[in-house]
């Protein structure tokens, strides 16, 4: 049985030269720098996409999955700000200053090294890298990496941004999560932002991005668009028509849904068939709920499904617009979630119920609608993470392992419809995108003398040799096609593979000479090619 010690983003591009020795020649890639669109969902679980096993409709995300690659072993942080810092910079979250998010950090940790509660100024963002290389750079939606003028998106490389500095906010009105914030901290290019009267979060962040892209189209420059959805963060809210779509569903409860999703994920090839699955201790017994509790639970999951479908529809609208403008084929799309599903039940304490009852319409019929405050809780979160165990705020697979889809529709070498089960991490996204975009190392060095160097040695030379040995002899038990990424983010993996490669004859008995320590990002990105 072959063992995969890493997969990730690096492995495929390392494999590409080997494959090219036997594969038929392919058409050359477009000479133009590709556009890049990041679609960041909030609190979506591992199986919260149709192409990963969800029962609710996400046809537009699924279309990107079939046009590109799904990554079934992709990991992020257990909460949003740390993941967002890594996605923005390509370095581990502690280096970026976000060992924890500001809303949950213990007071004893605050201000300690790596626990600044904001993204610090010692790291370089992908927007700064791409802007230095001639890209237009835009961000809409949730930021959550700092709210002072030096830390907003406009100060971190974005030409235009309409952003929310908080963890979440109301999806229908310019209102905060009451009890957590005094106001919804939206900013429009660094100034206080005003939301439109017909505001719905997913529709707004996509429309604003379309406006940004079109406004500067005459420049002829490629664009980097970071679209950051509030869906499906608390409060769970969706348009009535999207909730109504699921009115006949979810009456069997979360345990049945968890099992059904696990079965679909296996059928899709996302998870091995028969993979063990546990019932988490925090999962309530559906059979012990009274009638009103079941009605409320069914309704909130219908709203959750509607919220996801509404976000998917807006993604489809963005994709359709890029097709109409001729940008689609030369655009790299990245879809991911910032962490696993949210298990918090805000109604689990009497004082919470009293407060929320005064601030919101908490009737069952209003769940998911305007002026509501709803959350799926640990029961439905267990289904959203299916078949994994755990959820957001925990260092479990259910908290850290989320869907990742990368597509470049017009690129002839991208493996359309493929699934990678190799280990990948959110810190791999930045070096992957800058490599695919052809951003030179000098541009990636950042602005103002700041550096974002990888701390680890890059052992690509060694595991290239190990892979070649494996492909030639098939005598090793390890899967050299899925060896560790060389970003230096987790150097112990590279050291392990170096030793194992030596044992199997893939490398010399002396350590391979590490590649020169490069200015971030090192050129070992995600496996997307044939």
């Amino acid at each position: 049985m072959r063992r995969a010690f890493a997969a990730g983003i690096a492995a495929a591009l390392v494999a590409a030269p080997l494959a090219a020795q036997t594969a038929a020649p392919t058409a050359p890639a477009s000479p133009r720098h590709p556009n890049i669109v990041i679609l960041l969902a909030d609190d979506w679980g591992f199986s919260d996409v149709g192409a990963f096993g969800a029962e609710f409709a996400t046809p537009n995300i699924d279309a990107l999955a079939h046009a590109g690659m799904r990554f079934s072993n992709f990991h992020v942080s257990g909460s949003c700000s740390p993941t967002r810092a890594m996605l923005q910079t390509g370095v581990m979250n502690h280096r970026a200053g976000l060992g924890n998010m500001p809303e949950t950090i213990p007071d004893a940790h605050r201000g300690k090294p790596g626990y600044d509660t904001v993204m610090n100024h010692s790291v370089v963002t992908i927007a700064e890298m791409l802007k230095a290389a001639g890209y237009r750079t835009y961000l809409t939606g949730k930021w959550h990496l700092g709210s002072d003028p030096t830390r907003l998106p406009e100060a971190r490389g974005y030409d235009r941004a309409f952003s929310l500095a908080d963890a979440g906010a109301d999806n229908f009105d310019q209102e905060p999560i009451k009890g957590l914030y005094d106001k919804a901290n939206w900013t429009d290019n660094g100034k206080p932002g005003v939301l439109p009267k017909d505001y719905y979060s997913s529709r707004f962040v996509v429309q604003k991005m379309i406006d940004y892209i079109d406004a500067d189209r005459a420049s002829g420059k490629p664009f980097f668009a970071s679209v950051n959805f509030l869906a499906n963060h608390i409060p769970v809210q969706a348009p009535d028509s999207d909730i109504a779509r699921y009115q006949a569903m979810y009456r069997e409860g979360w345990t049945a849904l968890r099992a059904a999703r696990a079965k679909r994920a296996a059928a899709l090839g996302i998870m091995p068939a028969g993979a063990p699955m546990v019932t988490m201790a925090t999962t309530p017994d559906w059979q012990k709920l009274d009638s009103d509790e079941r009605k409320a639970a069914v309704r909130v999951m219908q709203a959750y499904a509607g919220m996801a479908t509404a976000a998917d529809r807006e993604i489809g609208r963005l994709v359709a617009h890029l097709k109409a403008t001729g940008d689609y084929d030369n655009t790299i799309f990245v879809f991911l979630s910032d962490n696993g599903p949210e298990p918090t039940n805000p109604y689990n304490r009497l004082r919470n119920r009293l407060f929320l009852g005064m601030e919101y319409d908490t009737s069952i019929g209003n769940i998911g609608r305007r002026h509501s405050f709803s959350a799926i809780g640990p029961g439905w979160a267990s289904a959203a993470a299916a078949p994994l165990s755990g959820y957001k705020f925990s260092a479990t697979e259910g908290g850290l392992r989320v869907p990742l889809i990368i597509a470049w529709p017009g690129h002839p070498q991208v493996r359309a419809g493929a699934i990678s089960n190799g280990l990948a991490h959110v810190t791999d996204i930045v070096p992957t995108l800058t490599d695919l975009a052809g951003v030179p190392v000098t541009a990636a060095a950042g602005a103002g003398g700041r550096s974002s160097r990888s701390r680890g040695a890059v052992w690509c030379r060694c595991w290239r040799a190990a892979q070649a040995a494996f492909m030639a002899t098939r005598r090793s038990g390890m899967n050299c096609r899925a060896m560790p990424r060389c970003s230096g983010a987790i150097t112990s993996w590279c050291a392990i593979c170096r030793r194992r490669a030596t044992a199997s004859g893939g490398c010399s008995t002396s350590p391979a000479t590490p590649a020169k320590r490069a200015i971030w990002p090192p050129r070992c990105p995600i496996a997307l090619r044939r």
Side-chain angles (χ1 to χ4, degrees):
M1 178 179 179
R2 297 188 304 172
R3 299 179 60 191
F5 289 96
I9 297 181
L13 289 184
V14 172
L18 225 87
Q21 295 174 12
T22 56
T26 57
S30 169
R32 295 181 294 127
H33 289 293
N35 305 308
I36 300 171
V37 174
I38 291 180
L39 303 163
L40 181 58
D42 202 336
D43 293 355
W44 287 38
F46 179 76
S47 57
D48 268 343
V49 174
F52 280 73
E55 71 294 333
F56 51 66
T58 58
N60 297 292
I61 301 172
D62 297 346
L64 291 177
H66 296 306
M69 286 189 70
R70 282 167 283 176
F71 293 81
S72 63
N73 197 10
F74 173 70
H75 292 72
V76 292
S77 173
S79 61
C80 53
S81 292
T83 292
R84 290 164 193 270
M86 291 187 282
L87 180 62
Q88 285 291 324
T89 64
V91 303
M92 295 303 289
N93 53 299
H94 287 80
R95 289 186 61 198
L98 278 155
N100 202 337
M101 55 188 273
E103 291 81 3
T104 58
I105 186 172
D107 288 339
H109 294 180
R110 193 179 298 269
K112 298 292 193 297
Y115 292 88
D116 303 323
T117 73
V118 291
M119 188 166 65
N120 62 41
H121 292 297
S122 66
V123 292
V124 182
T125 69
I126 185 172
E128 290 170 311
M129 299 178 198
L130 294 175
K131 186 174 183 177
Y135 273 72
R136 299 176 276 150
T137 55
Y138 311 123
L139 183 140
T140 59
K142 180 173 168 179
W143 174 245
H144 204 203
L145 295 172
S147 59
D148 70 73
T150 69
R151 301 183 195 278
L152 289 172
E154 301 81 5
R156 303 311 305 263
Y158 288 95
D159 294 326
R160 301 173 188 254
F162 201 114
S163 61
L164 176 68
D166 306 327
D170 195 278
N171 293 279
F172 286 111
D173 296 294
Q174 192 157 354
E175 294 286 345
I177 296 177
K178 296 176 182 179
L180 189 58
Y181 306 103
D182 295 329
K183 65 176 182 177
N185 288 294
W186 286 99
T187 56
D188 182 0
N189 294 318
K191 299 178 181 179
V194 178
L195 300 177
K197 291 183 178 180
D198 64 347
Y199 169 76
Y200 178 69
S201 62
S202 295
R203 180 173 60 244
F204 176 77
V205 298
V206 166
Q207 184 58 53
K208 183 61 71 172
M209 185 57 72
I210 290 173
D211 293 344
Y212 286 163
I213 293 170
D214 286 353
D216 298 329
R217 185 174 299 280
S219 71
K221 295 179 180 180
F223 61 81
F224 169 60
S226 179
V227 184
N228 302 267
F229 292 91
L230 276 63
N232 280 6
H233 194 281
I234 294 175
V236 173
Q237 296 171 310
D240 287 347
S241 58
D242 291 307
I243 299 175
R245 178 174 184 166
Y246 299 102
Q247 63 182 341
M249 297 176 63
Y250 303 116
R251 303 184 189 281
E252 300 302 315
W254 38 67
T255 302
L257 181 62
R258 179 168 165 80
R261 285 200 178 190
K263 184 176 180 179
R264 274 193 296 273
L268 290 167
I270 296 296
M271 293 291 288
M277 188 170 64
V278 301
T279 299
M280 287 167 266
T282 51
T283 303
D285 187 340
W286 180 262
Q287 302 303 322
K288 293 183 179 180
L289 302 184
D290 64 32
S291 176
D292 284 347
E293 288 173 331
R294 287 195 188 187
K295 288 179 182 178
V298 168
R299 172 73 182 193
V300 75
M301 190 59 197
Q302 291 169 348
Y304 185 88
M307 193 177 195
T309 294
D312 176 86
R313 179 172 58 250
E314 297 305 319
I315 289 172
R317 191 161 66 89
L318 175 60
V319 169
H321 182 78
L322 296 179
K323 287 181 177 179
T325 58
D327 293 312
Y328 172 76
D329 283 344
N330 197 40
T331 298
I332 301 170
F333 296 90
V334 180
F335 172 87
L336 72 157
S337 176
D338 60 349
N339 44 247
E342 169 70 78
T344 302
N345 176 10
Y347 294 91
N348 64 351
R349 296 181 181 180
L350 176 60
R351 67 178 183 179
N352 289 6
R353 292 193 293 273
L354 293 173
F355 173 80
L356 294 170
M358 292 187 294
E359 297 290 339
Y360 298 96
D361 178 354
T362 60
S363 63
I364 292 175
N366 197 56
I367 288 174
R369 305 183 73 196
R370 191 184 298 269
H371 306 312
S372 67
F373 192 83
S374 307
I376 60 173
W380 292 122
S382 73
L388 308 176
S389 177
Y391 1 74
K392 181 181 178 180
F393 298 130
S394 66
T396 59
E397 285 289 85
L400 307 178
R401 192 168 169 182
V402 297
L404 170 66
I405 296 166
I406 302 183
W408 189 352
H411 197 292
Q413 290 183 307
V414 171
R415 300 171 58 192
I419 298 173
S420 170
N421 63 3
L423 182 63
H425 190 259
V426 64
T427 51
D428 297 325
I429 298 293
V430 168
T432 297
L433 294 178
T434 52
D435 186 81
L436 294 176
V439 172
V441 171
T442 51
R450 286 179 289 124
S451 175
S452 186
R453 292 176 181 267
S454 170
R455 292 184 182 274
V458 183
W459 293 100
C460 295
R461 179 182 304 180
C462 183
W463 55 280
R464 281 194 184 103
Q467 184 192 50
F470 175 79
M471 295 297 292
T473 65
R474 300 278 181 171
R475 64 186 177 184
S476 170
M478 69 177 175
N479 178 6
C480 294
R481 296 178 71 89
M483 295 194 67
R485 66 184 185 277
C486 293
S487 64
I490 304 180
T491 56
S492 60
W493 290 347
C494 287
I496 290 170
C497 279
R498 182 158 42 86
R499 290 195 298 269
R500 290 185 178 272
T502 298
S504 65
C507 289
S508 64
T509 54
S510 59
T513 303
K516 183 179 180 181
R517 184 173 293 190
I519 295 174
W520 188 265
R523 291 296 183 251
C524 284
I526 207 161
L528 294 176
R529 301 184 183 174
R530 297 185 187 277

